[in-house]
Amino acid sequence: MTIMKRVKPAGLFIGKLKYEGDLLGEITEFCIKENIRLGRIEALGSVQKARLGFYNQETREYHFFNFNRPFEITTLVGSVSMKDGSPMVHAHITLADGKGNCFGGHLAAGTIIYACELTIEAFDGPELERGHDEDTGLPLWEMEE
Amino acid sequence: MTIMKRVKPAGLFIGKLKYEGDLLGEITEFCIKENIRLGRIEALGSVQKARLGFYNQETREYHFFNFNRPFEITTLVGSVSMKDGSPMVHAHITLADGKGNCFGGHLAAGTIIYACELTIEAFDGPELERGHDEDTGLPLWEMEE
Amino acid sequence: MTIMKRVKPAGLFIGKLKYEGDLLGEITEFCIKENIRLGRIEALGSVQKARLGFYNQETREYHFFNFNRPFEITTLVGSVSMKDGSPMVHAHITLADGKGNCFGGHLAAGTIIYACELTIEAFDGPELERGHDEDTGLPLWEMEE
């Protein structure tokens, strides 16, 4: 069932992320510090190396892989919601190498920032808490109509 | 001619799309139900299979192709505007496979949702209606300065 | 150091870009005309050809390359900030060809529009001015906590 909730803007942040920091870790840390519990993120920039995930829909397990070289971040989009009582950032990233070829997937810890511009929009609204979803095996938002 | 119109935020929605639903169809149906006539959409998630389009600028025809396998959605961006009196969703999508390779194009009906987080921003402003554009052969927004 | 600044929405624009115009040039010109000094941009559409950049983190020089053929724009994301006293658009782009293969990088002048839908969000807040960054050699935002 498609379920959408109406929310309100509750804060807008723009800035740059720490050189050689962990991309997912830095965004998560900021959300926890500012108590952003629901929202949306967007970024562009570059990384020194990347660790990405792909969810295997048959085995229902994430498969992770590393690219040990620099990339431009052509897009990072994601959400902020709650898991186990704490803000959790879920982001997908698209990267481009020196020939312009693109690679992407689920952003995992281990992706190291070279330079990154980030926007975060915080929302006011019903909290979205992740829980086990039967259909997919993923920790999706538990929502009722 | 570049023509931009000033609009105002008129509603913000976040949620998840129906497992095994049609990605373009589910978003369109929600916009029609909520009477969203102008806006912007953004999503991330995964699909079971994809049907994408590429507009051939020489023949002025869309060429459609299928990828019958699962992907992560690294980005979906799109607009909501009007065509023939009804809200129409125009979206482009970027996908990543199990090796991180990316594929993308114009989102067509036939792309099946595995899991998807969607944000929709509705706008108040002059309605944008699609009509035939001479320069490109595409159904672009009919806008006057 | 990760540094984020709180800003406020200050204007929202949606429209289409000039057929055969320069993608980066048209967006920049609009920001200058409207005096947008801080903000975020997003676009989708198609191009007749593209010129992209990749920053070599070892030599600290941009390497530019051309793709002399049409693509769909699957995503364009970027920021508006200040450089040398004038609004500067920084954007990264993801493209898809007729087989759905993706290419991307730092958007450079020389990327020619076929059709393009653009959204610009202007922000009110502390101006972000670009200056030389020691760690990366890039013109990053000069920010203090």
Side-chain angles (χ1 to χ4, degrees):
Chain A
M1 187 71 73
T2 289
I3 309 179
M4 301 289 293
K5 296 294 180 188
R6 189 180 282 267
V7 296
K8 290 190 174 172
L12 186 55
F13 301 87
I14 187 168
K16 64 175 182 182
L17 298 182
K18 184 185 181 180
Y19 175 68
E20 295 191 333
D22 184 89
L23 182 50
L24 183 60
E26 288 294 316
I27 302 172
T28 302
E29 195 177 300
F30 180 79
C31 291
I32 291 171
K33 196 183 72 173
E34 292 287 334
N35 198 30
I36 298 170
R37 301 165 77 86
L38 185 64
R40 173 167 70 156
I41 61 172
E42 191 174 280
L44 68 159
S46 50
V47 297
Q48 295 180 345
K49 60 180 185 173
R51 181 168 170 80
L52 306 180
F54 175 84
Y55 188 74
N56 185 318
Q57 297 174 15
E58 287 194 16
T59 62
R60 300 192 159 208
E61 284 179 355
Y62 270 103
H63 158 65
F64 291 96
F65 42 98
N66 297 297
F67 290 102
N68 290 311
R69 50 195 176 102
F71 294 98
E72 301 290 321
I73 303 169
T74 61
T75 328
L76 180 155
V77 293
S79 63
V80 188
S81 59
M82 301 298 287
K83 183 147 185 248
D84 304 326
S86 186
M88 182 191 141
V89 172
H90 176 216
H92 283 192
I93 193 167
T94 314
L95 304 166
D97 70 12
K99 290 182 174 171
N101 291 118
C102 286
F103 302 89
H106 177 92
L107 177 65
T111 299
I112 304 303
I113 300 158
Y114 188 71
C116 188
E117 299 175 0
L118 174 70
T119 308
I120 301 183
E121 280 179 77
F123 300 153
D124 257 348
E127 276 193 5
L128 297 179
E129 180 84 26
R130 292 185 184 276
H132 178 75
D133 175 68
E134 289 290 331
D135 286 332
T136 63
L138 287 165
L140 302 188
W141 293 329
E142 297 179 323
M143 300 177 77
E144 291 183 9
E145 276 196 289
Chain B
M1 188 71 72
T2 289
I3 308 179
M4 301 289 294
K5 296 293 180 186
R6 188 180 283 267
V7 295
K8 290 190 175 173
L12 187 54
F13 301 86
I14 187 168
K16 64 175 182 182
L17 297 181
K18 184 185 180 179
Y19 175 68
E20 294 191 332
D22 184 89
L23 182 51
L24 184 60
E26 289 294 316
I27 301 172
T28 302
E29 195 177 301
F30 179 79
C31 291
I32 290 172
K33 195 183 73 173
E34 292 286 333
N35 197 30
I36 297 170
R37 301 165 76 86
L38 185 65
R40 173 167 69 157
I41 62 172
E42 190 173 282
L44 68 159
S46 50
V47 297
Q48 294 181 344
K49 60 180 185 173
R51 181 168 169 79
L52 306 179
F54 175 83
Y55 187 74
N56 185 317
Q57 297 174 14
E58 288 194 15
T59 62
R60 298 190 161 210
E61 285 178 356
Y62 269 104
H63 157 64
F64 290 96
F65 42 98
N66 297 296
F67 289 102
N68 290 310
R69 50 196 176 101
F71 292 99
E72 300 291 320
I73 302 169
T74 60
T75 329
L76 179 156
V77 294
S79 62
V80 188
S81 60
M82 300 299 287
K83 183 147 185 248
D84 304 326
S86 186
M88 182 192 140
V89 172
H90 176 215
H92 283 191
I93 193 167
T94 313
L95 304 166
D97 70 12
K99 289 182 174 172
N101 290 119
C102 287
F103 302 89
H106 177 93
L107 177 66
T111 299
I112 305 303
I113 299 159
Y114 188 71
C116 187
E117 299 175 359
L118 174 70
T119 308
I120 301 183
E121 281 179 77
F123 300 154
D124 257 347
E127 276 193 5
L128 297 179
E129 179 84 26
R130 292 185 184 276
H132 179 75
D133 176 68
E134 287 290 332
D135 287 332
T136 62
L138 286 165
L140 301 188
W141 293 330
E142 296 179 325
M143 300 178 78
E144 290 182 12
E145 274 196 290
Chain C
M1 188 71 73
T2 289
I3 308 179
M4 301 289 294
K5 295 294 180 186
R6 188 180 283 267
V7 296
K8 290 190 174 172
L12 187 54
F13 301 87
I14 186 168
K16 63 175 182 182
L17 297 182
K18 184 185 181 180
Y19 175 68
E20 295 191 333
D22 185 89
L23 182 49
L24 184 60
E26 288 294 316
I27 302 172
T28 303
E29 195 176 301
F30 180 78
C31 291
I32 290 171
K33 195 183 73 172
E34 292 287 334
N35 198 30
I36 297 169
R37 301 166 77 86
L38 185 64
R40 173 167 69 156
I41 62 172
E42 191 174 281
L44 67 159
S46 50
V47 297
Q48 295 181 343
K49 59 180 187 174
R51 182 168 170 79
L52 306 180
F54 176 84
Y55 188 74
N56 185 318
Q57 297 174 15
E58 287 194 17
T59 62
R60 299 192 159 208
E61 285 178 356
Y62 270 104
H63 157 65
F64 291 97
F65 42 99
N66 297 297
F67 290 102
N68 289 311
R69 51 195 175 102
F71 293 98
E72 301 289 323
I73 303 169
T74 60
T75 328
L76 179 156
V77 294
S79 62
V80 188
S81 59
M82 301 298 287
K83 182 146 185 249
D84 305 325
S86 187
M88 182 191 141
V89 172
H90 176 216
H92 283 191
I93 194 168
T94 313
L95 303 166
D97 70 12
K99 290 183 174 170
N101 290 119
C102 287
F103 302 89
H106 177 92
L107 177 66
T111 299
I112 305 303
I113 300 159
Y114 187 72
C116 188
E117 300 175 0
L118 174 70
T119 308
I120 301 183
E121 281 179 76
F123 300 154
D124 256 348
E127 276 194 5
L128 297 180
E129 179 83 26
R130 291 185 184 277
H132 179 75
D133 175 68
E134 289 289 331
D135 287 331
T136 62
L138 286 164
L140 301 188
W141 294 329
E142 296 179 325
M143 301 177 78
E144 291 184 10
E145 275 196 290

